[in-house]
Amino acid sequence: MRFFSAVLAFLICAAIANADERIKLNVRISQAPEGVAAHFEIARDVTNLRLEYRSEFAEGTWAITTPGLTYKNGEVSSATPFHTFDVVVTARNDFVSGPFYPCVIKIGDSGRIVYASYFAGLQSAYDTTISFETPSSTTAIGLPRGGSSFRVERTAAPSDQAAGIYVYLGPASAAKETPLATYIADPAVQPWIQQQLENLASPSLAFYRRNIGISLRRKPLIMTTFSSGRKGAFQADVTEGPNVVFRIFGDQWREKTDRATADIRHTARHEYAHFWNSYAVRSSDNEGGRWLHEGGAEYWARLAEADLDRNERHSSNVESALNKCAANLVALPLSRTTAAASYPCGETIQWFADLGQRRSGKDYFSLWRELLKRADANGGNYSVAMFRELAERNTPTVRDTISLIVDRDGTDRWYELPAILAKLRVKLEAAPPEPAAFRDAVVMHVIEGNCGNGFWIEDGWLKLETEENCGPLSGKPQVDSMNGHNLFTDPKGAFDAVEAACKSNGDVTFSRAGVERTWTVKCDRPLHKPPPTFAYKLKP
């Protein structure tokens, strides 16, 4: 069957290639003093070139060095036809607020990590080949088939997955090759952090391989960078390869503490899980279904911790995830939100699925083994619909719990959850809301009616996840107060003030200390009460 599928896929690809009338685009990337330089060659004259991947993070880092051309919102354009141009991209090692991939990252003094998607032409119009210049003692590592160049494959995957691969460009001597993985670390990274990442790789990858039943096709590339910027932050991104970048921010990481160690270990296992659930196969619902692969990686990491570290915090972990999920969603269904809610809500849904599997006499990973088997027969893609069919088929109660989070709205639904979970022999108590729940409820209520679908909690302020060109809250405002009440020190006061405004179709004003600008919108809907605070009392 596999041989037949491979032959069929070859014939289909050959037919597509013969009919491919897209414009040839060659992009040559080389090192530059503060980032990389890219030379674009187009097979014919054009007046604009639309790039496949567009992100706010690229704005301000790209500089067109060819006279007469401009770059904006992922498009290079000119009043007169052109077929070549040059770009210099400045590396950025600062913290990224939101689900965006940095375009170019410095690693050490002369190494660069390049996210190739930014340089690919729009798939429907351009047949792109990206190559990396590797003069003496310089190498490119992480490309799909090795070497120093690759052709961007035409795919039906979401646009932000096209050519989605981190590539290392820099001194060959920086790479540490092992049978398991290739490691490249910025010399500024604290040795204890790098040791944790490397020591975790072997048992974690073995745990996932054993439970999922799939071996990785290629050796992972694991890179680590350090910046003394943002206080105590830690980010990580996985791309095709599988390649991963761990980005460490702040001098607080120089000291090895129990909390720092736990954060590093959990994040590493989460990212290593993505080698399977995002890149051995991928979720076809990358945006609306982000909760599936992100929540899956969270829960897989929790199970790895329980098995490999003898961690007995499983009950408190799922309790924490459930409370964060309720706080992020408040009255919204998960199907209408993205961003921060994806992680805790996705982890909670995986817990529900685990409960159902055990009630049916099966292990949790058997669900994922079957899901990935279906993905293999579906062009390497799985979906939310596939997952829900498998998770819900034997236990109607699991269907009810997943639907409560994904499909239903309103805050009253949260008070139904203890009775539903009791059918799975789980004792869950609902207590009055925590203070932070009032902040989450009031922010979500107001931005929901103003093109918003979530927010990111930063160090004493929030970044609203709002759409562009959509009213007063456009542009992802950074705020810390509503109607004069600080959302961190006086969340109940903010809730009460906005509740009063909403009853009279009044104004709600967002602000941030030290920032002159404010953002004001009308509120004409009653404010929902916050969800309860859950306590998980019984481990099934």
Side-chain angles (χ1 to χ4, degrees):
M1 181 63 184
R2 286 185 178 275
F3 174 75
F4 174 78
S5 297
V7 171
L8 180 60
F10 173 79
L11 293 174
I12 291 172
C13 290
I16 292 174
N18 290 335
D20 196 344
E21 297 180 353
R22 296 176 298 161
I23 304 171
K24 297 286 185 181
L25 170 63
N26 292 310
V27 184
R28 188 172 70 252
I29 298 174
S30 60
Q31 287 186 310
E34 296 302 321
V36 300
H39 177 71
F40 289 73
E41 292 188 4
I42 310 167
R44 69 176 191 228
D45 283 346
V46 297
T47 55
N48 66 79
L49 168 67
R50 190 74 177 270
L51 299 174
E52 177 69 28
Y53 188 97
R54 296 169 298 282
S55 165
E56 64 176 11
F57 198 83
E59 304 301 322
T61 64
W62 281 53
I64 304 286
T65 58
T66 303
L69 277 71
T70 59
Y71 171 83
K72 185 177 182 181
N73 296 328
E75 185 170 338
V76 178
S77 58
S78 173
T80 58
F82 62 92
H83 67 274
T84 66
F85 64 94
D86 293 281
V87 173
V88 173
V89 184
T90 302
R92 290 183 62 175
N93 283 55
D94 53 340
F95 182 85
V96 183
S97 180
F100 303 109
Y101 289 88
C103 183
V104 180
I105 307 168
K106 282 187 178 181
I107 181 166
D109 292 333
S110 53
R112 305 288 185 265
I113 300 170
V114 182
Y115 190 61
S117 289
Y118 284 88
F119 302 92
L122 191 67
Q123 283 192 64
S124 59
Y126 293 94
D127 178 4
T128 305
T129 296
I130 299 175
S131 60
F132 293 83
E133 291 190 358
T134 55
S136 177
S137 74
T138 299
T139 187
I141 303 176
L143 278 75
R145 295 176 178 82
S148 59
S149 67
F150 74 106
R151 181 185 180 192
V152 178
E153 295 183 5
R154 193 170 189 175
T155 172
S159 62
D160 67 346
Q161 295 291 321
I165 187 167
Y166 274 134
V167 177
Y168 169 77
L169 180 64
S173 59
K176 175 183 176 181
E177 294 285 354
T178 74
L180 179 72
T182 300
Y183 299 96
I184 303 173
D186 189 315
V189 173
Q190 289 300 299
W192 76 265
I193 294 177
Q194 189 62 25
Q195 185 178 34
Q196 286 286 333
L197 297 175
E198 294 186 20
N199 289 348
L200 279 173
S202 180
S204 299
L205 299 188
F207 175 83
Y208 296 141
R209 183 171 59 248
R210 181 173 69 251
N211 283 284
I212 295 301
I214 296 175
S215 296
L216 297 176
R217 293 188 292 269
R218 292 188 290 271
K219 186 166 68 171
L221 170 60
I222 300 173
M223 298 173 281
T224 318
T225 68
F226 176 82
S227 174
S228 59
R230 182 184 171 87
K231 181 179 179 181
F234 179 34
Q235 290 186 315
D237 307 303
V238 176
T239 73
E240 290 283 4
N243 304 333
V244 59
V245 179
F246 294 100
R247 292 177 283 136
I248 316 295
F249 304 89
D251 292 335
Q252 289 79 358
W253 293 102
R254 298 188 185 281
E255 181 182 357
K256 183 180 180 181
T257 64
D258 290 344
R259 173 62 185 273
T261 301
D263 287 346
I264 292 287
R265 293 174 70 86
H266 177 73
T267 302
R269 284 183 169 135
H270 173 106
E271 301 304 329
Y272 294 157
H274 279 318
F275 292 173
W276 276 267
N277 81 355
S278 294
Y279 293 100
V281 295
R282 70 169 73 249
S283 171
S284 58
D285 300 313
N286 188 55
E287 286 302 317
R290 180 181 284 127
W291 61 264
L292 179 52
H293 59 271
E294 294 295 358
E298 279 290 283
Y299 200 72
W300 292 19
R302 298 298 185 198
L303 295 181
E305 291 163 4
D307 183 86
L308 301 174
D309 298 345
R310 300 295 185 263
N311 187 318
E312 298 180 355
R313 291 179 51 82
H314 183 71
S315 298
S316 60
N317 287 333
V318 296
E319 175 188 292
S320 175
L322 173 57
N323 281 310
K324 289 178 181 177
C325 174
N328 274 277
L329 294 183
V330 189
L332 286 177
L334 182 58
S335 59
R336 287 173 52 195
T337 64
T338 57
S342 301
Y343 294 80
C345 293
E347 182 180 352
T348 300
I349 291 170
Q350 296 301 315
W351 174 49
F352 294 159
D354 190 2
L355 294 172
Q357 288 293 104
R358 281 186 273 172
R359 287 284 287 169
S360 301
K362 301 177 181 178
D363 76 283
Y364 163 76
F365 278 108
S366 67
L367 187 159
W368 275 92
R369 287 194 294 272
E370 186 166 352
L371 181 62
L372 269 58
K373 182 179 179 181
R374 290 192 181 188
D376 189 48
N378 187 45
N381 293 288
Y382 63 91
S383 66
V384 167
M386 288 181 187
F387 170 81
R388 291 187 65 170
E389 178 191 345
L390 294 173
E392 299 171 2
R393 61 185 175 182
N394 296 322
T395 47
T397 302
V398 173
R399 179 194 61 215
D400 294 339
T401 58
I402 294 177
S403 181
L404 183 143
I405 290 179
V406 177
D407 306 319
R408 295 177 58 187
D409 58 13
T411 53
D412 289 341
R413 60 183 165 149
W414 298 110
Y415 293 86
E416 301 173 20
L417 188 56
I420 298 175
L421 285 179
K423 299 176 184 178
L424 295 174
R425 298 181 182 177
V426 173
K427 184 178 180 182
L428 192 71
E429 294 182 355
E434 296 283 350
F438 289 95
R439 174 196 65 207
D440 300 334
V442 70
V443 174
M444 284 301 301
H445 178 76
V446 174
I447 69 173
E448 178 192 1
N450 291 276
C451 303
N453 56 22
F455 58 88
W456 296 90
I457 300 175
E458 304 294 348
D459 188 10
W461 52 276
L462 307 178
K463 179 182 179 182
L464 305 185
E465 192 70 16
T466 54
E467 298 176 12
E468 298 296 330
N469 304 315
C470 193
L473 296 185
S474 296
K476 306 181 188 301
Q478 299 175 4
V479 304
D480 63 12
S481 298
M482 295 178 73
N483 283 14
H485 296 267
N486 187 279
L487 291 164
F488 290 84
T489 60
D490 187 21
K492 183 62 165 60
F495 184 94
D496 292 342
V498 173
E499 182 179 36
C502 294
K503 287 179 179 178
S504 60
N505 193 28
D507 289 343
V508 175
T509 299
F510 288 91
S511 60
R512 183 179 179 186
V515 177
E516 184 176 349
R517 182 181 176 183
T518 60
W519 299 264
T520 300
V521 295
K522 288 286 185 183
C523 181
D524 58 1
R525 298 174 297 117
L527 180 56
H528 300 285
K529 63 182 178 181
T533 298
F534 293 109
Y536 178 23
K537 295 296 184 181
L538 181 65
K539 184 176 181 179

